[in-house]
Amino acid sequence: MTDAELTDLVKKALYAVAPDIEDQPIDPEKSFRGQFEIDSMDFLNFVINLHKATGVDILERDYPNLQTLSGAIAFLHQRLP
Amino acid sequence: MPSLGADMEAGTLVEWFKKPGDHVRRGDIIALVETQKGAIEIEVFNEGVIGEQRVQPGCKVPVGSVLATIFDTEEKQTPRPAKETTEKVKQRPAERLGSAREATAATALSIRITPAARQRAAALGISPESLSAGADGVIGIAQVPPGPEREPAMKRAPRSGLPGLDRDEMRKAISAAMVRSHRDIPHYWVAHSIDAALLFDWLETQNAVRPIEKRLLYAAPLMKAVALALKEVPELNGRFEEEVFRPSTAVHMGLATSLHGGGLIAPAIRDVDSKSVDDLMSAIADLVPRARLGRLRSSEMTDGTVTLSNLGEGSADSVFPLIYPPQVAIIGCGAATPRPWAVGDAVTVRQVMQVTVAGDHRVSHGRHAAQFLTRLSDLISHPETL
């Protein structure tokens, strides 16, 4: 997948959890939690969405890598064939 | 007009779904009512025949007003106020929610207008007062000038863009409840630091072997522990109404939920004390998104016997919340963070959570709160028993 496709995929997974932020810009380096009041429940659902969309197994210890847009893209890049 | 929460003072009847003479059965939806927290469907509780409808669409009436009378099927002579029979209500699908909201203020009193007409008028920014009624005395869709229907209404929607939620109205509802709480309830607060390391260890072990959809958030075992500890201190679980405290045997726990973009709501999960941790996790996963979308059921807004305010990961250390009336306690949990902790003679680092009880002094005292916190600490140290 290209970076642009991955960006779309991650954004989609996030918007599904927080549809109210769809019209807001995302700072790729800042944590979702810091930018959008994403709590643990939202984050878990976001991770579930990523897993469903990609089939990538995501462990709890991977969570810190998924806190930002750029982190999530890099993580998926690495895990996807 | 049923009360759908301590902060509800009045509701606007939007639409009747039944007319006088209609036969109704338990569970039938007879009307749509708009409140500050969205539009709610009113269900009938008994079987009977609709008598007089005393409130017309567009009228805002205080809680407790008789909306309509219902005759028993057998004895048609004894009308019964429908309000007594309409306590069970449920939320209406979201697409209907947006329609009536904007008209609430404009049609405060006695303008008869159909929902469709109201929606179009609101979308066009036309006050219903400025419209003339049709031949039947009701403003119908024909009396409102045609216009681009949905789009303007969508653009005027609240910041979140979600139907069913109006941040300003919700802010008012929260204000009303908290003013009442602060004014009427003699609060006291007791706080305790709890070593939650064993809980987090247990959670990590559990989640390592669970598929991603089955993983637990610590809120689930925490809720269970809080509920079990509350069972042993009945003075903190129940309702204080009309100067009488009624303890509750079951723990129906309101979960303070912040909404994206502001707003707060505390819908209740029933029987937390008797649900498994997995069931609680499913209940949270079901409830939180619905709270944020404005799709709660009325029972979730009215059934709480206590509230949990869990700040969650990455948040502040402690919270001193206000009780949600008519409840008599609220439990506040700060973020669990690594802290120096004395174990025997040594100092070690543990995940410590500061838990606060706000209690109602008319019902309980600091001793009750301390008793609860000690018991909670025990339970959190034995997560496998939850």
Side-chain angles (χ1 to χ4, degrees):
Chain A
M1 265 197 228
T2 66
D3 267 9
E5 285 168 332
L6 283 177
T7 306
D8 266 4
L9 188 151
V10 174
K11 281 185 172 174
K12 226 179 186 177
L14 184 69
Y15 293 152
V17 167
D20 47 332
I21 63 171
E22 216 160 317
D23 53 349
Q24 293 178 55
I26 301 178
D27 182 333
E29 304 303 327
K30 273 198 188 147
S31 77
F32 300 130
R33 191 196 299 270
Q35 292 180 83
F36 306 118
E37 300 174 69
I38 297 295
D39 64 15
S40 316
M41 185 81 240
D42 299 322
F43 186 74
L44 181 60
N45 285 328
F46 166 67
V47 174
I48 291 174
N49 291 344
L50 287 183
H51 167 71
K52 282 185 181 159
T54 61
V56 168
D57 268 333
I58 304 172
L59 303 175
E60 271 199 316
R61 64 165 177 270
D62 299 323
Y63 288 4
N65 297 324
L66 300 170
Q67 304 284 347
T68 64
L69 181 59
S70 63
I73 293 167
F75 174 84
L76 292 174
H77 236 324
Q78 197 193 330
R79 297 296 174 92
L80 282 169
Chain B
M1 179 63 67
S3 169
L4 301 164
D7 39 13
M8 177 167 162
E9 290 171 355
T12 303
L13 183 80
V14 176
E15 189 174 356
W16 281 114
F17 297 128
K18 300 281 180 186
K19 56 185 190 301
D22 280 357
H23 190 91
V24 289
R25 281 184 314 184
R26 183 191 170 93
D28 283 355
I29 293 152
I30 61 165
L32 180 66
V33 161
E34 183 168 57
T35 75
Q36 286 177 311
K37 288 178 179 170
I40 308 282
E41 286 181 344
I42 307 292
E43 278 179 60
V44 182
F45 211 62
N46 296 72
E47 184 151 352
V49 173
I50 301 274
E52 181 193 358
Q53 288 171 335
R54 297 193 186 170
V55 175
Q56 295 308 314
C59 291
K60 186 171 186 175
V61 295
V63 165
S65 306
V66 175
L67 294 178
T69 54
I70 295 178
F71 295 98
D72 280 342
T73 319
E74 297 80 22
E75 24 172 350
K76 289 208 170 187
Q77 288 77 15
T78 50
R80 183 167 44 208
K83 76 176 180 80
E84 288 176 9
T85 67
T86 57
E87 281 162 20
K88 281 221 163 171
V89 292
K90 71 177 185 192
Q91 187 105 19
R92 197 164 174 73
E95 64 268 23
R96 299 289 304 264
L97 296 180
S99 64
R101 169 157 316 95
E102 308 196 11
T104 310
T107 59
L109 289 165
S110 299
I111 293 172
R112 300 183 64 188
I113 177 166
T114 66
R118 180 196 315 279
Q119 182 172 14
R120 184 186 290 179
L124 294 169
I126 297 172
S127 159
E129 280 99 337
S130 64
L131 297 168
S132 353
D136 54 358
V138 177
I139 302 168
I141 196 81
Q143 278 73 47
V144 186
E149 271 185 54
R150 297 201 155 259
E151 236 180 305
M154 295 303 286
K155 283 187 183 140
R156 285 162 51 108
R159 181 195 155 285
S160 72
L162 294 173
L165 281 177
D166 182 325
R167 305 292 173 195
D168 292 342
E169 284 302 312
M170 178 166 281
R171 189 65 247 163
K172 282 187 210 157
I174 299 167
S175 298
M178 290 301 103
V179 164
R180 182 176 149 198
S181 172
H182 199 266
R183 184 190 61 209
D184 295 346
I185 301 177
H187 281 76
Y188 68 86
W189 289 267
V190 178
H192 190 49
S193 293
I194 291 180
D195 172 6
L198 292 172
L199 177 71
F200 284 97
D201 289 351
W202 175 81
L203 211 57
E204 205 181 315
T205 315
Q206 287 284 319
N207 285 343
V209 296
R210 283 166 177 256
I212 195 161
E213 295 89 352
K214 297 274 177 196
R215 279 181 207 158
L216 300 170
L217 294 174
Y218 77 83
L222 179 65
M223 282 179 78
K224 183 69 185 284
V226 167
L228 292 179
L230 283 169
K231 289 281 274 187
E232 297 181 25
V233 190
E235 291 82 0
L236 298 178
N237 182 49
R239 294 157 159 269
F240 188 92
E241 285 166 310
E242 286 148 15
E243 300 301 309
V244 181
F245 172 57
R246 291 186 184 81
S248 170
T249 46
V251 180
H252 306 316
M253 194 179 295
L255 198 57
T257 306
S258 65
L259 308 175
H260 298 137
L264 184 68
I265 199 162
I269 295 176
R270 289 183 64 90
D271 301 307
V272 172
D273 51 308
S274 54
K275 282 193 164 74
S276 70
V277 170
D278 279 286
D279 286 349
L280 286 173
M281 185 63 213
S282 311
I284 300 169
D286 167 57
L287 189 71
V288 172
R290 281 196 294 111
R292 291 186 170 149
L293 289 169
R295 289 183 196 166
L296 293 172
R297 293 185 273 271
S298 69
S299 58
E300 292 166 336
M301 291 158 74
T302 56
D303 286 0
T305 58
V306 68
T307 297
L308 176 68
S309 176
N310 180 30
L311 295 187
E313 288 166 62
S315 186
D317 288 342
S318 53
V319 55
F320 296 83
L322 288 183
I323 295 166
Y324 185 57
Q327 296 167 16
V328 295
I330 180 166
I331 316 300
C333 297
T337 45
R339 298 262 158 199
W341 191 258
V343 178
D345 286 339
V347 174
T348 172
V349 173
R350 308 287 280 181
Q351 287 276 100
V352 176
M353 183 187 285
Q354 178 110 348
V355 181
T356 310
V357 175
D360 182 336
H361 243 318
R362 296 170 299 183
V363 177
S364 63
H365 310 285
R367 183 176 61 79
H368 295 113
Q371 195 185 335
F372 162 80
L373 289 165
T374 309
R375 183 68 189 123
L376 179 65
S377 183
D378 282 352
L379 288 161
I380 284 180
S381 300
H382 297 91
E384 70 287 351
T385 65
L386 294 173

